[in-house]
Amino acid sequence: MFYPWPIHALFRLAAAATAPLREAIREAFQAQVYPLGYVPSHDGMRGLMTLGVVTAHVSHTLVPGAVLYIDLFFVASAYYITGLLLRDIDKHGHIRFRQFYARRFARIVPPLLLMLAAYLLFTWLLRPPFLPAVERAAIALSYISNYWYVFDPKTIEDIGHTWTLSTEEQFYLLWPLTFVFLVKRFGVTWRLVGAICAIAAAIWAWRVALVLDGAEWRRLYTAFDTRADALMAGCAMAVVLRLVPHGASPALDRLWPKLAWPLLIYWGTVTFLFWPADGPSMNYYLFGSMVCGVLPGILALTMLARSHGTILHRIFEWPVALFLGRIFYGIYLWHLPILNFLDSYGVWWPLRLAIGLPLSVLAATLSYAYLERHFLRRRARPVAPQPPPIGVVPAFVPTAGFAADLRFSSRQGTETVRP
């Protein structure tokens, strides 16, 4: 009876101290505009999976299958972006490129600049030499980290996780123009879906050819031209959901809730039990990415958007998961520099997780409350958290950088995912 009171009091003090931050985030999040609708369970999914990514970067054996989250997150990102492009075409008859890129800049760049500034400051004060850190920051800001890692991984090891930001930024630059061309050629029809799938198949075939030619894993893992099949799958998913609105197929509407338990069992077993403990083999690049990550990811995202009240909805709509989902981008940005900083001082890996994860969440919370929320648009009232309207692709808030490279763990070799 002596010990619970201080612990309980500590939690109450922590809750009271963080109340202003939590309120700022809540208000900012409510003020966001979700032009495609809001799916709370998508938020919770990315929040919990981000925790899995952070844990895997400390010791991949704790969450060996987290490498498949990369494919799911790429699918989700492309799904959201293509939904926005379709909305522009519906509402304005064309894609408003200026507004599109302004939104991407406002969402992605300010938090990245803050993280890089803090990284440079801490390097200057505590971890010299300073000039290599400046070089790393310049590479990250140029959005070429994914290809830089292929040829010189040592240069960017501290912030190597920015390869995913580079991959998505390259997608943002190329896909709107490509999508305009495809829509003019095929319209928003099943022929458009076929064309997007053909691009995905070509990218997949290119990666298989590289594998058969003996390419090393770095060439396959981070390069845009070998990972864009997952992005194309998400683009096709957005068009399909547009062509098959909710209610158009009663049989499908009855099927989606039934997939919740199989998907939960699948993601649980593949994450913790069935994925190789020593990291993905070349089979991952041949077929594992698409079969084990992309396709189940499409089913999970669609099931969450086209049904409600399932076991997965209850898990992903847990308030803690929703909160983490709101600040997931910041958690992703901050976690690897923090973990590597702790690693450079020889901190034991359980302590790195116990210290690094809370620090990452704290940094992300401060970033969201005092920086990111000022860039959120306030042009309309938010959509109430309910199942998306019929025929509308639900929103998935920009996932820039969400896909996490599980090879960029803290630099202790025994804890890094191997090819």
Side-chain angles (χ1 to χ4, degrees):
M1 297 299 293
F2 176 74
Y3 294 100
W5 181 86
I7 295 174
H8 180 67
L10 182 62
F11 278 117
R12 286 195 303 176
L13 288 173
T18 59
L21 289 177
R22 289 185 283 110
E23 183 65 18
I25 291 177
R26 185 188 66 81
E27 292 178 356
F29 204 74
Q30 288 179 344
Q32 283 194 84
V33 176
Y34 294 92
L36 305 177
Y38 175 53
V39 180
S41 52
H42 283 179
D43 256 346
M45 178 188 70
R46 64 185 180 177
L48 293 181
M49 289 188 174
T50 300
L51 294 189
V53 166
V54 175
T55 304
H57 275 166
V58 174
S59 176
H60 78 277
T61 58
L62 297 176
V63 193
V67 67
L68 295 175
Y69 298 167
I70 300 166
D71 306 299
L72 187 152
F73 298 149
F74 278 150
V75 168
S77 180
Y79 161 53
Y80 173 80
I81 293 301
T82 305
L84 286 179
L85 298 177
L86 285 169
R87 174 185 174 271
D88 255 10
I89 292 173
D90 283 345
K91 190 171 182 179
H92 304 285
H94 62 278
I95 294 174
R96 300 176 300 163
F97 290 100
R98 181 177 178 180
Q99 288 81 355
F100 174 82
Y101 289 113
R103 287 195 301 265
R104 301 284 70 73
F105 180 92
R107 174 60 178 148
I108 297 167
V109 175
L112 175 62
L113 288 174
L114 178 63
M115 182 276 288
L116 290 176
Y119 167 72
L120 291 174
L121 177 62
F122 272 83
T123 301
W124 180 48
L125 295 175
L126 301 172
R127 291 184 59 199
F130 180 66
L131 288 181
V134 175
E135 181 182 0
R136 295 184 193 109
I139 293 169
L141 281 176
S142 300
Y143 290 102
I144 56 174
S145 298
N146 53 347
Y147 284 100
W148 197 284
Y149 183 75
V150 173
F151 302 105
D152 189 8
K154 188 70 173 177
T155 302
I156 57 171
E157 61 181 1
D158 275 352
I159 52 174
H161 64 316
T162 57
W163 80 266
T164 56
L165 277 68
S166 300
T167 297
E168 292 196 9
E169 187 67 23
Q170 291 154 14
F171 168 72
Y172 295 157
L173 292 174
L174 295 174
W175 179 239
L177 297 173
T178 305
F179 191 64
V180 166
F181 171 79
L182 293 176
V183 170
K184 287 183 177 179
R185 179 68 177 82
F186 301 110
V188 184
T189 64
W190 287 104
R191 295 171 64 199
L192 175 61
V193 176
I196 297 173
C197 290
I199 296 173
I203 296 167
W204 189 358
W206 168 243
R207 186 172 66 243
V208 169
L210 290 174
V211 172
L212 298 179
D213 194 43
E216 65 171 353
W217 68 265
R218 289 186 183 89
R219 176 66 181 89
L220 305 169
Y221 193 75
T222 65
F224 174 76
D225 63 297
T226 56
R227 299 308 298 263
D229 54 337
L231 291 163
M232 290 299 99
C235 297
M237 173 188 168
V239 179
V240 169
L241 291 186
R242 164 69 185 280
L243 295 173
V244 186
H246 185 69
S249 175
L252 276 177
D253 295 339
R254 291 191 297 269
L255 172 64
W256 295 122
K258 298 178 182 178
L259 294 179
W261 273 105
L263 285 170
L264 176 62
I265 294 171
Y266 168 78
W267 285 109
T269 54
V270 79
T271 295
F272 298 106
L273 298 178
F274 294 154
W275 199 252
D278 57 351
S281 66
M282 283 298 170
N283 288 332
Y284 171 75
Y285 305 105
L286 290 172
F287 58 83
S289 171
M290 184 63 66
V291 174
C292 299
V294 172
L295 296 180
I298 289 175
L299 289 177
L301 290 166
T302 305
M303 188 280 298
L304 291 171
R306 288 292 172 91
S307 63
H308 58 89
T310 70
I311 180 64
L312 282 180
H313 287 88
R314 292 194 293 273
I315 292 173
F316 292 142
E317 291 175 12
W318 177 40
V320 173
L322 291 175
F323 176 79
L324 293 172
R326 294 172 182 179
I327 61 171
F328 85 98
Y329 179 44
I331 296 174
Y332 174 76
L333 282 177
W334 289 90
H335 83 278
L336 196 61
I338 290 174
L339 292 178
N340 282 336
F341 178 80
L342 295 172
D343 186 33
S344 68
Y345 282 89
V347 178
W348 186 36
W349 74 261
L351 288 179
R352 288 206 309 277
L353 181 60
I355 298 172
L357 178 56
L359 284 179
S360 301
V361 173
L362 176 61
T365 302
L366 294 172
S367 173
Y368 195 104
Y370 294 113
L371 176 69
E372 296 174 52
R373 71 188 181 99
H374 295 294
F375 291 90
L376 301 176
R377 299 186 178 276
R378 300 172 178 268
R379 294 182 177 177
R381 297 180 63 85
V383 177
Q386 57 186 6
I390 293 176
V392 175
V393 179
F396 194 92
V397 179
T399 59
F402 190 27
D405 178 11
L406 300 183
R407 297 186 185 276
F408 289 101
S409 299
S410 298
R411 290 187 293 271
Q412 291 188 3
T414 57
E415 299 172 7
T416 305
V417 175
R418 299 297 181 191

